[in-house]
Amino acid sequence: MSRVRTIGAALVVALIALAVPLRAQAQGQIQIIILPTETPMPAAPRIEVRASGFPATLGAVQIRLRLSLNAQLGLIVYDSTKSGADVFFTMQRLLPENRSIFAQADVIDERGITAGSAVILAGRTGPRLQLIEPSGITGVSLNTQQPRFVWRSAGITTPPGPWVYELFVTNVATQETRSRGGIVDTVYTYPDTLQSNTSYRWRVLARPLNGLPEDSVSVSSQSSFVIAPADQPVSTLLYQNFPNPFPAPSSSTTCIWFDLRTPAEARLMIYDLRGLPVRTIVPGPQLGGMLPAGRYGRQGDAATSGCDPRLAWDGTADNGQMVPAGIYLVRLRADGYESMKKIVFRGR
């Protein structure tokens, strides 16, 4: 079902004080129909305008449609006139992102005189492109070397659509980027095999196939993702803690993940910026220093998500006292490997 806004011409004239001839008052109705019906409003909608109930003495009428970013029609983004009492308008340019769109339709008689007008809030546009998964404020761990990418794009008619996408995957360490183009769906399983224990970032470029180059949009992932299959790790690795900063709405503690390639004596500690030890995580009361090869910090032995409470830091020191808000460092030493990550503690 389409969204239909119907406004009597005389009422609209009274409300917005348009300079419309007196004889047009109390005559006819104007309907403005936005297609397709969706929220947010499409980036390139198809708009139908119907004029009914106007006297035949007006002769052959035209309908002028204007789209604006304000109710006073001061910031026009679309302006077109077509002959007939029931006409369709299609956008050749995409509407601006994240803006309220106002539509004014004028019925014009054969002498060029405006016989009636209607103004509506047509809707509000959203972002043209959003990345859905893998995505997160902090790093995401995946248990497949051929991940699935999911994104969402704003509604668009043809022309200027349909959307065509290009996916870019970048190795964070080497900055090597692979791309796949000609994608027409918003769900895409990567055909190449990505490296285990490696961080990647991804980006999508969307362009309207029958539109203008300047209407293309590119969005990059918020954070990296790590390929970490559930089998034995091929390297010893410390991951960035999450959430970071913490505490966060999702968690009052921050989770620390690490992998051990071989059995090793591990030491995981929190330091302040002066290099003074604050908290010893490993060895701890429930997790000794000598650890077998495997993945640590996940919610369960083979999982690649969640947080093991034994490897979560709540902001307390070894003496049980809460530390001041600030920047801290977590350091892992194991298997001849040493790595340090920055932790931002908001305090309590």
Side-chain angles (χ1 to χ4, degrees):
M1 181 182 295
S2 60
R3 177 173 59 213
V4 180
R5 308 283 182 89
T6 303
I7 301 182
L11 176 59
V12 174
V13 172
L15 289 176
I16 64 175
L18 292 174
V20 179
L22 181 62
R23 69 181 181 84
Q25 297 185 19
Q27 294 179 355
Q29 289 185 327
I30 301 172
Q31 297 175 301
I32 302 174
I33 306 165
I34 312 297
L35 301 168
T37 298
E38 58 185 45
T39 301
M41 182 180 177
R46 188 168 185 247
I47 300 178
E48 182 182 7
V49 180
R50 298 174 185 168
S52 59
F54 287 88
T57 55
L58 297 181
V61 300
Q62 292 184 312
I63 292 178
R64 181 185 184 187
L65 176 68
R66 286 177 288 174
L67 302 181
S68 174
L69 302 183
N70 60 29
Q72 294 73 36
L73 277 294
L75 298 171
I76 301 294
V77 294
Y78 178 82
D79 189 341
S80 183
T81 301
K82 290 190 174 184
S83 298
D86 186 352
V87 294
F88 288 87
F89 297 87
T90 57
M91 312 290 106
Q92 295 302 314
R93 292 291 311 273
L94 272 60
L95 298 173
E97 297 180 273
N98 303 308
R99 296 296 299 268
S100 294
I101 305 296
F102 295 84
Q104 175 169 323
D106 300 324
V107 175
I108 303 170
D109 68 14
E110 62 183 9
R111 295 179 298 168
I113 298 175
T114 301
S117 295
V119 177
I120 67 167
L121 173 59
R124 184 174 177 85
T125 59
R128 292 182 184 176
L129 181 64
Q130 292 176 285
L131 305 188
I132 306 301
E133 64 178 58
S135 182
I137 298 175
T138 58
V140 177
S141 183
L142 304 178
N143 61 0
T144 175
Q145 292 178 279
Q146 293 180 304
R148 186 184 73 155
F149 297 93
V150 182
W151 57 89
R152 180 188 301 123
S153 53
I156 188 172
T157 57
T158 301
W163 288 110
V164 178
Y165 309 98
E166 187 171 3
L167 171 67
F168 300 86
V169 178
T170 300
N171 184 310
V172 173
T174 65
Q175 291 300 298
E176 176 189 1
T177 300
R178 307 179 190 181
S179 67
R180 290 280 177 167
I183 303 170
V184 296
D185 198 358
T186 56
V187 178
Y188 184 76
T189 300
Y190 204 68
D192 298 336
T193 300
L194 299 180
Q195 297 177 15
S196 298
N197 294 302
T198 302
S199 293
Y200 293 90
R201 286 187 178 271
W202 63 295
R203 176 172 66 92
V204 173
L205 171 66
R207 63 181 181 87
L209 182 62
N210 299 293
L212 300 174
E214 51 265 38
D215 283 332
S216 298
V217 59
S218 177
V219 175
S220 299
S221 58
Q222 266 188 305
S223 64
S224 61
F225 65 88
V226 177
I227 301 299
D231 55 0
Q232 182 171 312
V234 297
S235 64
T236 297
L237 183 67
L238 173 67
Y239 297 88
Q240 181 67 56
N241 63 292
F242 67 94
N244 193 37
F246 89 101
S250 60
S251 178
S252 61
T253 63
T254 190
C255 187
I256 303 168
W257 289 3
F258 65 89
D259 295 341
L260 293 181
R261 180 180 62 88
T262 62
E265 185 77 28
R267 193 166 184 83
L268 185 71
M269 297 187 63
I270 309 293
Y271 295 86
D272 63 20
L273 288 180
R274 296 171 296 174
L276 300 176
V278 172
R279 176 76 177 270
T280 300
I281 307 294
V282 176
Q286 302 179 56
L287 200 62
M290 189 65 195
L291 299 175
R295 305 184 187 281
Y296 293 87
R298 286 71 159 172
Q299 188 79 48
D301 295 336
T304 57
S305 62
C307 184
D308 185 339
R310 298 175 301 174
L311 293 171
W313 185 43
D314 59 2
T316 60
D318 281 327
N319 61 9
Q321 298 296 312
M322 192 67 61
V323 301
I327 297 175
Y328 294 83
L329 302 171
V330 56
R331 182 175 69 182
L332 173 67
R333 286 180 173 176
D335 190 27
Y337 169 92
E338 181 174 336
S339 181
M340 194 173 294
K341 304 291 183 183
K342 184 185 295 183
I343 297 178
V344 179
F345 178 53
R346 290 192 171 116
R348 298 185 191 276

